[in-house]
Amino acid sequence: MDIPAVKSCFEKLRERLSALGIESTYLEGIDDPQIGDTLRILFPVTQDGNAVITELMVTSFSKDLDLMLLYSTIVAEIGDRYDELVQKLVPWNMQCPFGAYGIFEEERQLYHKYSFPFPSDANPDDVAGQAMVLLGVLHEVLSKQYYEAESYSVE
């Protein structure tokens, strides 16, 4: 997907998210524009309105295949129970039907990530539609784990 197509995809995705009341911001890379520009979403994952920061980025995987990366920061700073959370990741990932949980050690953050491949020449509107479906699945996954995950944050 070339740069104009990525921007078009993210514009279409932002329109769909906005219609649902979900805030998003388009962040351009250092070399403006570039593959790797990011769409950042304040993604509500509970009925109480708790939200995580979810970032979407498109990158090239091979000559004919691109990837959309979905990366959610669930806990911005893990507290004193860090070692306990590390032990939770194996069962969480074994039960997680979509993506994987991990810890970004340098920042002490709990994240969830998922990547989906699509043809490099895919229609941007089709990719935006698929991303919306995937965000629905991501919502289901994160909403089930959110409160337990949040219990590991700095108090």
Side-chain angles (χ1 to χ4, degrees):
M1 184 175 275
D2 62 13
I3 294 165
V6 171
K7 283 191 166 202
S8 175
C9 174
F10 283 165
E11 286 172 12
K12 293 173 186 313
L13 190 52
R14 287 189 78 192
E15 289 171 9
R16 293 174 184 197
L17 292 166
S18 180
L20 297 172
I22 298 173
E23 297 177 43
S24 65
T25 303
Y26 185 78
L27 304 170
E28 294 182 343
I30 296 169
D31 298 323
D32 177 35
Q34 68 179 13
I35 298 292
D37 290 356
T38 302
L39 181 63
R40 182 175 290 162
I41 301 169
L42 187 57
F43 190 46
V45 294
T46 69
Q47 290 184 350
D48 300 334
N50 300 92
V52 300
I53 295 173
T54 297
E55 297 177 325
L56 291 87
M57 183 177 69
V58 173
T59 188
S60 179
F61 182 74
S62 67
K63 179 183 170 201
D64 299 320
L65 198 63
D66 289 340
L67 294 174
M68 181 173 286
L69 313 169
L70 289 85
Y71 184 94
S72 299
T73 302
I74 303 163
V75 174
E77 187 177 354
I78 300 167
D80 295 337
R81 298 170 52 213
Y82 183 94
D83 292 334
E84 185 182 332
L85 177 58
V86 169
Q87 297 301 315
K88 286 286 188 173
L89 292 184
V90 171
W92 285 4
N93 281 323
M94 291 297 293
Q95 297 171 8
C96 185
F98 180 86
Y101 292 95
I103 294 175
F104 180 50
E105 292 181 12
E106 294 164 7
E107 299 292 329
R108 293 181 59 98
Q109 296 175 336
L110 173 66
Y111 66 84
H112 179 276
K113 69 175 184 169
Y114 180 77
S115 302
F116 81 91
F118 61 92
S120 299
D121 62 353
N123 179 302
D125 194 41
D126 293 342
V127 175
Q130 183 64 33
M132 287 299 293
V133 170
L134 294 173
L135 285 169
V137 175
L138 180 62
H139 178 272
E140 291 297 315
V141 168
L142 296 183
S143 67
K144 289 179 184 173
Q145 211 64 54
Y146 179 80
Y147 289 110
E148 185 176 1
E150 185 63 20
S151 74
Y152 291 97
S153 68
V154 169
E155 296 179 10

